[in-house]
Amino acid sequence: MTSTLRTLTVPLDVESSSGGLPSFLVRDDVLCWSRREAGLVGFGELTRFSATGPERFLEADMWWRHLILEAEITDQVELPGTGPVAFGSFAFSKTSPHVSRLILPELVVGIRDGRAWATQLTFDDGDLTEAGVLASVDHWLSGGEPNGEDSAAGGSGVGLSPDTVAADGYLSHGSLSEEAWMQAVADGVEEIRAGKLEKLVLARDVVATLPDGVNAAEVLRQLAARYRECWTYGVDGLVGATPEMLIQVEGRTAQARVLAGTLDRRDADGMDGSPMEYAERVLAGSEKQRHEHEIAIDSLTRQLAPFSEAMNSHSEPFILELPNVWHLASDVKAELADIEGHVPTCLALINALHPTAAVCGTPTLVAGALIRKLEHLDRGPYAGPVGWLDAAGNGEWGIALRGAVIEDANTVRLYAGCGIVEGSQPEAELAETWAKFRPMLEALGIRR
């Protein structure tokens, strides 16, 4: 054994599908990041980094840079996501006991722009060969583990069912009942009206129980197929499909997608005009929704500016159409500046950007304290950064929204939140959370 990381990346002959990554690549224990016909999946676990507290992003950044500094990397493909890749999930709050993590898999399979590849990662001294990489691909895709035994649940740490898709299940409230959560919204609105803050994001949780067991692989497949404009993620039992990109870095270019302002698509039923005309009238034409969006976009661009030598964003938000809701959305693009001779890393940027006003509120410190007071909930990884990074500095980190944590073989905890401003109504915000729960409820086979 050696402490030096060694990797070999070779091209693969794999066809993508209209549902995103080929379905045979997705297993219950997979590390997954996909959108449309592109993405990465990781199998096994070579090593991991874990941390809690306010320095979790910078500590993870130091661990990753140290790991790859002396790594022996052979890359026959040379695209973002080739070479060594770590998948990660971070707690929303610096005060959370939830453990943030970076996971280095034993094998990564990726697809981008119609090209596919596989990367084998090891600390062993043996030769890395193309034949060995292809054999590793066959081994993992046939369901094998390093000890030769089949497994349906490795990375998540829970015993998930490999065969059964739950036809139905039942829900129970989480940390707060619906009535108590609506009171928290009303209390938040009073704080805003008193001038203590401008925006607050309040989340709630519900617990799904599935008697026939949770099939994480099927959940990921359904999310990837239905929510093609979102980024489907799976990291250590955290699964979901987020529409919001916190930061995407490719070379010196950074991009983000900011969302704030939501409208349930079911609200358009029976209304005059086309559904999109309704969305433009009610969502884009709403002073409340546009104000909430402006707060979110200003928050991100202000925090990103010190790391950028040029930046641009949409002058007007566009309407992002998803199967369950419409959002007001803006894309931001920045050219990263040299900071003391180095382009800032993904995790350094995340350390500066998180939490944004879109998931916390503004001012950040005031909103964060009020969240802890009113939610009665540890968000864990919900609304925290989730994604991947490679040795070249590239990476994609979404905000873990429209997701859930698989707590055991039959239990899933779902999270949803809403931006609260002065004009917010508790009943409408509660309805919005149910619209945001819908992607996971559908993927779990739960009808409400």
Side-chain angles (χ1 to χ4, degrees), residues 1 67 91 95-96 150 193 200 292 299 406 408 428:
M1 293 286 290
L67 186 68
T95 65
S96 174
D150 288 350
R193 288 175 177 167
L200 173 69
E292 182 183 341
S299 165
I406 301 170
D408 60 42

Side-chain angles (χ1 to χ4, degrees), residues 124-148:
D124 292 340
D125 293 321
D127 289 339
L128 286 173
T129 66
E130 183 169 349
V133 176
L134 298 180
S136 180
V137 172
D138 290 340
H139 173 73
W140 282 104
L141 297 188
S142 65
E145 292 283 8
N147 61 8

Side-chain angles (χ1 to χ4, degrees), residues 263-265 268 271-286 289 319-321 325-328:
L263 180 63
D264 190 340
R265 291 191 58 162
M271 296 296 179
D272 294 336
S274 69
M276 185 56 75
E277 289 173 339
Y278 175 78
E280 291 173 350
R281 182 171 69 252
V282 176
L283 190 59
S286 166
Q289 302 277 23
I319 293 179
L320 176 65
E321 184 176 8
V325 296
W326 290 288
H327 288 296
L328 284 182

